[in-house]
Amino acid sequence: MAVVNQYKFAGIDNSTSGAALTPLGASVPSVNETVVIKSILVTSAGTPSVTVLNNSITAIKSAALTANVTTELLTQPLIIEGGKTFTVQSSTSDSFDVAISYLNIKKEVTT
């Protein structure tokens, strides 16, 4: 079994009202993947609160953001296990952007 490490960046420009965003894509990491998130940057046109959910558990519940300022939400890396969901959600309908930098660790079967 080979392990492949891929450093990636994902960003979403969101203008919908309080919708749950899935920065890692519509599909969750597959069971043979582990994602290590190093940075979650958020920018908003207004002052919403941001919630980050890891497998439906609140991992980050931030205070209200300052309008037009980019804020780093993480102080330590966040691990997303394969087959688990990762979402970011805003409390209001303000325009809201999220950008994450992460390491995707894939376990590949080689024959």
Side-chain angles (χ1 to χ4, degrees), residues 44-102:
S44 178
T47 57
S49 292
V50 175
T51 302
V52 174
L53 301 171
N54 183 352
N55 201 34
S56 301
I57 303 296
T58 301
I60 300 171
K61 180 75 171 184
S62 76
L65 300 175
T66 303
N68 300 317
V69 173
T70 300
T71 303
E72 171 63 62
L73 296 183
L74 289 181
T75 56
Q76 296 292 320
L78 180 64
I79 308 299
I80 310 297
E81 296 176 352
K84 309 297 184 193
T85 59
F86 172 73
T87 57
V88 179
Q89 189 164 6
S90 170
S91 64
T92 65
S93 60
D94 294 321
S95 176
F96 170 70
D97 296 344
V98 61
I100 66 169
S101 296
Y102 63 100

Side-chain angles (χ1 to χ4, degrees), residues 31-50:
V31 292
N32 68 332
E33 295 177 309
T34 300
V35 172
V36 180
I37 298 176
K38 174 68 174 119
S39 174
I40 302 175
L41 296 170
V42 293
T43 306
S44 178
T47 57
S49 292
V50 175

